[in-house]
Amino acid sequence: MGGSLAKACKDRRLVAQVIGIARREETARQAEVEGIVDWGTTDLDVGIAEADIIVLATPVRTILTQLDHLSRVIRRHCLVLDLGSTKLDVVQAMNALPDHVQAVGTHPMCGKEKRGLEVADAGLYMGAPWVLVPLLRTTPTSLRLVEQLTIGVGAFPLVMDADRHDRLVAAISHLPYALAITLMLTAADMGNDDPMMWQLAAGGFRDTSRVAASDVTMMMDILLTNREAVGGLLEQAADNLRKMASYLASGDEASLRTTLEAGHKLRTGSGK
Amino acid sequence: MGGSLAKACKDRRLVAQVIGIARREETARQAEVEGIVDWGTTDLDVGIAEADIIVLATPVRTILTQLDHLSRVIRRHCLVLDLGSTKLDVVQAMNALPDHVQAVGTHPMCGKEKRGLEVADAGLYMGAPWVLVPLLRTTPTSLRLVEQLTIGVGAFPLVMDADRHDRLVAAISHLPYALAITLMLTAADMGNDDPMMWQLAAGGFRDTSRVAASDVTMMMDILLTNREAVGGLLEQAADNLRKMASYLASGDEASLRTTLEAGHKLRTGSGK
């Protein structure tokens, strides 16, 4: 996410200078060589010393640690953003930043299973909704600046509060992930008995399970910072599966058809 | 499926003549005009009168009805195939065909959500596994003929028994479908409260839910002719979801990580 944003900002000349902060020296050098950043460093304090806008593009719980660190070291007026996939804990941590710091929680609704510079893509944000969660302290000027940045890389900014965001992404992002993991685990028992199963797996299986390849550390942080909303949906999904199983067991064709037609209608947007 | 096979057979000149049997006169004419068949009819008995190979490409329970009908009307030596997605009930019905009739149950592991001539695609079978289930009566010559047909349209024939086929597809095809339906139904509750949800739905949601758009009648027949295998997997999947929910509720990070890493490893084929 961070690499893609840096690349998009550089390619479109949206900012005067892009400074990359990486965990490893090698990544910082590679980003410089590939022209993804103007210069790179592994030292957070050095990297932010000259920055007007700081973008935190790490897993959610790392963002929380970084915000805690920033709250103690930021001296300059600047604007802090994050790209984390849950927002309640993040904006709470942002509230603890010094008063002279502006901050906006954000979540671009796009992404890839793979992390790292190799998959950085300046076009990643094109056409994607990008949720912005202003704090009470966020000025209209700061919010407008962030909106311009998101529009500048081709996204559509959508302003909402953290609670609403976290409930919505539980349904459209965290639940699909949990279902994809469940598909892999449930199918694996069969695949262990008969490895031919993997050879037969067709497009439907690949699509439904794709997001199970998401980065585990990133997803751990997401699920654990959205426990209540996700937990409730997992229970609901389990209930829906149990109902379908009971319709099959009892041969209740009418209820089964009603269920499948409801799902079909929701997915196709038609009553057919 | 039938239209795509007819098109592939015509394009590659695999057979002397393709006769299309449709439910509606309009479809039969359209298939002729588009050159998908040499000639079309809505009369099954007329259509099969001259056929050496009969391919049943309808929902599974319609195939069962058609086999029952064929068992009473077929006079000529010929070879009967089906393209149905479950095989136990189909090969059982094939066993009741007259002794002079050869038959092989088959299932090409490819497909589209949409049915109909409009989406007929001669390339549909390219690179797809195609399961063949011979009967006790099936001669090596008949089986070889079917293998040649599947290879002729670009597929890979795999011979196995009906029971094994039905258990495997329960895991790789029917379970993903049920999970996609479950995703739509579970998310819909949230979407009713806040329609913004649908605007936020990103690629992960679209992929995971894609097969929920599958034809309902086709899927009803598939699930109801594979009740036991599918029902067991739905219960297992519900248990897996419940476990994840309990790890979240109790904050059991170690178990949650083990679960996510197992799913990730299965999906990516890596230990990472």
Side-chain angles (χ1 to χ4, degrees):
Chain A
M1 293 288 256
S4 296
L5 184 59
K7 213 167 183 173
C9 286
K10 286 272 288 177
D11 284 7
R12 291 151 179 262
R13 298 174 202 281
L14 295 178
V15 295
Q17 196 180 201
V18 175
I19 304 162
I21 304 169
R23 269 180 305 178
R24 292 181 304 130
E25 194 62 40
E26 187 192 337
T27 311
R29 293 294 82 75
Q30 193 195 338
E32 286 175 356
V33 170
E34 293 183 16
I36 294 173
V37 300
D38 291 288
W39 59 271
T41 172
T42 56
D43 187 326
L44 182 61
D45 295 349
V46 171
I48 65 169
E50 293 179 37
D52 298 312
I53 303 176
I54 300 170
V55 181
L56 303 175
T58 50
V60 175
R61 293 194 294 182
T62 305
I63 292 172
L64 299 179
T65 310
Q66 289 172 327
L67 285 170
D68 181 53
H69 177 76
L70 291 180
S71 70
R72 284 177 278 113
V73 302
I74 290 191
R75 294 278 168 273
R76 309 175 67 235
H77 290 270
C78 65
L79 172 62
V80 175
L81 311 177
D82 80 300
L83 308 181
S85 299
T86 56
K87 296 272 67 79
L88 271 169
D89 290 4
V90 169
V91 297
Q92 199 183 329
M94 282 177 166
N95 278 324
L97 289 167
D99 288 340
H100 63 273
V101 176
Q102 282 288 302
V104 178
T106 92
H107 180 207
M109 304 296 297
C110 54
K112 303 191 164 183
E113 277 78 57
K114 294 197 171 172
R115 282 165 69 184
L117 272 192
E118 306 72 40
V119 296
D121 169 11
L124 181 64
Y125 300 90
M126 292 287 295
W130 191 327
V131 174
L132 308 184
V133 181
L135 315 191
L136 274 176
R137 76 166 75 173
T138 308
T139 64
T141 311
S142 296
L143 185 57
R144 206 164 314 122
L145 184 63
V146 181
E147 284 176 336
Q148 283 167 349
L149 183 73
T150 62
I151 292 167
V153 298
F156 297 97
L158 286 167
V159 176
M160 67 178 74
D161 66 43
D163 183 60
R164 184 182 182 193
H165 168 273
D166 284 8
R167 275 186 294 111
L168 294 181
V169 292
I172 59 165
S173 173
H174 312 163
L175 173 62
Y177 170 72
L179 291 173
I181 291 286
T182 297
L183 172 56
M184 293 311 304
L185 296 179
T186 310
D189 287 341
M190 184 80 75
N192 287 338
D193 291 347
D194 189 346
M196 168 75 85
M197 190 193 78
W198 302 112
Q199 265 177 277
L200 285 191
F205 185 85
R206 279 194 299 271
D207 284 354
T208 312
S209 62
R210 186 177 65 82
V211 292
S214 302
D215 185 80
V216 170
T217 298
M218 185 185 80
M219 292 311 305
M220 281 289 287
D221 281 16
I222 289 170
L223 299 180
L224 288 164
T225 56
N226 203 13
R227 285 162 56 170
E228 210 170 308
V230 176
L233 290 172
L234 296 187
E235 296 284 355
Q236 251 181 275
D239 286 346
N240 280 323
L241 287 174
R242 286 253 160 78
K243 267 187 216 161
M244 286 175 72
S246 81
Y247 300 152
L248 280 177
S250 64
D252 182 350
E253 291 200 26
S255 298
L256 185 62
R257 183 177 282 278
T258 303
T259 303
L260 304 188
E261 276 176 353
H264 181 271
K265 185 176 171 180
L266 287 162
R267 185 57 175 77
T268 59
S270 86
K272 219 191 142 187
Chain B
M1 290 292 256
S4 295
L5 185 59
K7 214 167 183 174
C9 286
K10 285 272 288 176
D11 285 7
R12 292 154 178 260
R13 299 172 199 279
L14 295 179
V15 294
Q17 197 180 200
V18 176
I19 303 162
I21 304 169
R23 270 179 303 178
R24 292 181 304 131
E25 193 62 40
E26 188 193 336
T27 312
R29 294 294 82 76
Q30 192 194 338
E32 286 174 355
V33 169
E34 293 182 16
I36 294 174
V37 300
D38 291 287
W39 58 273
T41 172
T42 56
D43 188 327
L44 181 62
D45 295 349
V46 171
I48 66 169
E50 293 179 37
D52 298 312
I53 303 177
I54 300 170
V55 181
L56 303 175
T58 51
V60 176
R61 292 192 295 182
T62 306
I63 291 172
L64 300 179
T65 311
Q66 288 171 328
L67 285 170
D68 181 53
H69 177 76
L70 291 180
S71 70
R72 282 176 280 113
V73 301
I74 288 192
R75 293 278 168 272
R76 308 175 66 235
H77 291 271
C78 65
L79 173 62
V80 175
L81 312 177
D82 80 302
L83 308 182
S85 300
T86 55
K87 297 271 69 78
L88 271 169
D89 289 4
V90 169
V91 298
Q92 199 183 327
M94 282 177 166
N95 278 324
L97 288 167
D99 288 340
H100 63 272
V101 175
Q102 281 289 303
V104 178
T106 91
H107 180 207
M109 303 298 296
C110 54
K112 303 190 167 184
E113 278 77 56
K114 294 196 172 172
R115 281 164 69 184
L117 271 192
E118 305 72 38
V119 296
D121 169 10
L124 181 64
Y125 300 90
M126 292 287 294
W130 191 326
V131 174
L132 308 183
V133 181
L135 314 190
L136 273 176
R137 74 167 75 172
T138 307
T139 64
T141 310
S142 297
L143 186 57
R144 206 166 311 122
L145 185 62
V146 181
E147 283 177 334
Q148 283 167 349
L149 183 73
T150 62
I151 291 167
V153 297
F156 297 97
L158 285 167
V159 176
M160 66 178 73
D161 67 45
D163 182 61
R164 184 182 182 193
H165 168 273
D166 284 8
R167 275 185 296 111
L168 294 180
V169 292
I172 59 163
S173 174
H174 312 163
L175 173 63
Y177 170 72
L179 290 173
I181 291 286
T182 297
L183 172 56
M184 293 312 303
L185 297 179
T186 310
D189 287 339
M190 184 78 76
N192 287 338
D193 291 345
D194 189 346
M196 166 75 86
M197 189 194 79
W198 302 112
Q199 265 177 274
L200 285 191
F205 186 86
R206 281 194 298 273
D207 284 354
T208 312
S209 62
R210 186 177 64 81
V211 292
S214 303
D215 185 79
V216 170
T217 298
M218 185 184 81
M219 291 311 304
M220 282 288 289
D221 282 14
I222 289 171
L223 299 181
L224 287 165
T225 56
N226 203 13
R227 286 161 56 169
E228 209 170 311
V230 176
L233 290 173
L234 296 187
E235 296 284 357
Q236 250 181 277
D239 287 346
N240 279 323
L241 288 174
R242 286 254 160 77
K243 266 187 215 162
M244 285 175 72
S246 82
Y247 299 152
L248 280 177
S250 64
D252 182 351
E253 291 200 27
S255 298
L256 184 62
R257 181 176 283 277
T258 303
T259 303
L260 304 188
E261 276 176 353
H264 181 271
K265 184 176 170 179
L266 287 162
R267 185 57 175 79
T268 59
S270 86
K272 217 190 147 187

